[in-house]
Amino acid sequence: MKNQVWDVLSQSKDEMTAWMKAQGLPGYRGTQLFEALWRHRVKDYEEITSWPKALRENMTNQFPLYRLQAETVQRGHDGTLKILGRLYDGQHIETVVLPHDYGYSVCVSSQVGCNMGCKFCASGLLKRTRNLSAGEILDQVRLANDLIADQGAVISRVDLMGIGEPLDNYENVMQFIQIAHDPLGFNLSYRHFTISTSGLVPDIYRLAQEGMPITLAVSLHAPTDDLRRQLMPINKAYPVHQLIEACKDYFHKTGRRVSFEYALLAGINDSNQHAEQLANLLKGFSCHVNLIPWNPVPEHPFQPSSKKRVEEFQRIVQDRGISCTIRKEMGQEIEAACGQLRRREEELLSP
Ligand code: SF4
């Protein structure tokens, strides 16, 4: 049962300290709790041996902890881990752990389902049920750390690129980042977070004001309004030129180069003309384009572009002075396209 009165996992260190004081307890008990939850990754209060027995029992009775359960963990040949997590209310989310030269990153979900309706995305097929709390996002990083602990490794980068639109769950995502950044939390520098957005323009301006140099990754996927509207309904509210202006503002305020994600769909957005339009759109803007070989989703009609087409697209964009790379395909054999695993689970569970 989740505690509805005080969501322990979503509290910052200062909030825990203040709460302990309000209970007539020393404030440092709050710091101990915070450190135990995130740095030591305890599963229940009984593991906090620096606490008196009575406090451990009181907390267990009044504020039982529910920690994210790994319902399944799929392991790819390349070391990718795909976790289907079960939340306190039985809902499912996906979390992906990716190995790199520098260590491990984790791709976390920010919502149960997603309302953005991008036409190529498996997550968008299941509408948003609810937002994740800050604690539920944090617990994905904790679970990822648990799963790689036997290698003596820790998560060093976090991408908010899983299920959901992070900027549609703004406050909880900000709280998540603050707690994960805390030296007694996961001690992650702001620069090691990436927020991926479908293009919620007002929230991009808001994020730029936060004073946190987070990397912004914008799902662009089309260089013109006509095409982007067809692929991403959000473009009806915030057309391409408004989106690019917001991204330029983000760069000027944070000094962080914006990354544009572009999934290549055969015969849809991958022609030479599209590449030229994309380069023209981004001309003069210090940004980066990340081309994504698309993972097919059975329910969608799109096909991935050929390797040759992807390389030609990259060449055209690069020749026009725009930094452009092709994302390494990882975890394909374990359905690493966002939302596929959760969708499979929901289908199995539905009557
Ligand atoms: S691509 Fe992202 S924003 Fe679009 S539907 Fe999928 S999860 Fe939502």
Side-chain angles (χ1 to χ4, degrees):
M1 263 274 292
K2 184 182 160 125
N3 155 49
Q4 297 299 328
V5 181
W6 196 53
D7 177 7
V8 179
L9 294 179
S10 294
Q11 308 301 313
S12 69
K13 189 172 61 196
D14 289 348
E15 286 163 344
M16 285 188 188
T17 302
W19 187 86
M20 287 290 178
K21 285 182 184 167
Q23 310 307 304
L25 295 163
Y28 64 80
R29 295 290 185 216
T31 308
Q32 288 173 333
L33 175 57
F34 185 87
E35 190 173 15
L37 290 174
W38 303 122
R39 186 186 270 190
H40 303 310
R41 308 196 301 274
V42 299
K43 302 292 184 297
D44 62 53
Y45 300 109
E46 283 306 315
E47 293 177 49
I48 312 179
T49 50
S50 56
W51 275 9
K53 193 166 183 297
L55 179 56
R56 296 200 302 260
E57 285 176 0
N58 277 344
M59 290 297 285
T60 304
N61 292 333
Q62 288 183 60
F63 306 105
L65 279 183
Y66 180 89
R67 306 229 74 165
L68 181 67
Q69 308 290 318
E71 195 135 295
T72 58
V73 180
Q74 295 182 6
R75 291 172 194 270
H77 294 308
D78 56 11
T80 300
L81 302 178
K82 183 148 186 174
I83 306 156
L84 182 71
R86 186 182 165 86
L87 300 164
Y88 78 95
D89 57 358
Q91 299 280 352
H92 292 94
I93 51 168
E94 292 178 21
T95 306
V96 181
V97 181
L98 298 156
H100 306 275
D101 300 342
Y102 61 78
Y104 282 90
S105 69
V106 63
C107 178
V108 297
S109 296
S110 56
Q111 298 178 314
V112 180
C114 184
N115 278 347
M116 295 300 137
C118 304
K119 296 289 183 254
F120 45 81
C121 172
S123 299
L125 292 167
L126 294 170
K127 292 283 172 221
R128 183 186 63 187
T129 308
R130 66 175 177 85
N131 285 335
L132 295 186
S133 67
E136 287 171 327
I137 309 173
L138 283 157
D139 226 15
Q140 295 173 66
V141 184
R142 187 274 308 162
L143 185 55
N145 273 328
D146 281 352
L147 290 170
I148 58 174
D150 59 349
Q151 298 166 46
V154 289
I155 295 294
S156 56
R157 284 183 182 269
V158 176
D159 299 326
L160 285 128
M161 286 190 175
I163 298 171
E165 162 57 66
L167 297 184
D168 189 33
N169 184 15
Y170 193 92
E171 277 78 17
N172 291 349
V173 164
M174 289 302 111
Q175 177 83 344
F176 155 71
I177 291 172
Q178 292 296 1
I179 295 173
H181 170 71
D182 191 296
L184 295 184
F186 298 121
N187 195 24
L188 291 165
S189 123
Y190 290 130
R191 289 169 186 274
H192 289 182
F193 291 89
T194 300
I195 288 186
S196 172
T197 179
S198 58
L200 297 185
V201 165
D203 294 303
I204 294 174
Y205 283 109
R206 189 177 171 193
L207 187 65
Q209 306 281 1
E210 297 283 355
M212 298 188 285
I214 294 164
T215 302
L216 183 68
V218 173
S219 297
L220 190 60
H221 307 310
T224 62
D225 282 326
D226 275 353
L227 181 55
R228 195 165 187 269
R229 254 196 310 268
Q230 291 171 41
L231 296 174
M232 303 181 71
I234 188 69
N235 201 83
K236 291 175 194 154
Y238 305 114
V240 170
H241 71 275
Q242 281 186 24
L243 178 57
I244 301 300
E245 281 310 304
C247 292
K248 287 181 177 169
D249 177 77
Y250 190 85
F251 174 65
H252 288 129
K253 296 235 167 66
T254 64
R256 300 294 286 162
R257 199 171 63 154
V258 175
S259 170
F260 291 98
E261 310 288 305
Y262 197 107
L264 286 156
L265 309 167
I268 304 288
N269 66 354
D270 67 343
S271 70
N272 289 356
Q273 191 191 4
H274 291 128
E276 284 160 15
Q277 288 170 330
L278 178 64
N280 285 338
L281 179 70
L282 302 177
K283 197 172 164 191
F285 182 23
S286 175
C287 62
H288 180 77
V289 173
N290 200 9
L291 298 178
I292 306 168
W294 187 67
N295 263 347
V297 178
E299 295 80 359
H300 292 312
F302 305 116
Q303 293 300 316
S305 305
S306 67
K307 189 164 180 279
K308 199 167 155 232
R309 183 92 292 273
V310 174
E311 287 169 357
E312 177 64 3
F313 196 99
Q314 179 193 30
R315 188 193 60 74
I316 292 169
V317 175
Q318 280 180 333
D319 283 356
R320 282 156 180 76
I322 311 285
S323 161
C324 179
T325 50
I326 300 169
R327 184 186 288 173
K328 200 170 138 201
E329 297 176 66
M330 298 179 87
Q332 271 207 315
E333 79 277 22
I334 54 167
E335 302 176 276
C338 116
Q340 287 180 17
L341 191 65
R342 174 172 174 263
R343 182 163 163 75
R344 164 94 41 105
E345 185 67 19
E346 298 299 323
E347 281 168 0
L348 289 174
L349 292 175
S350 61

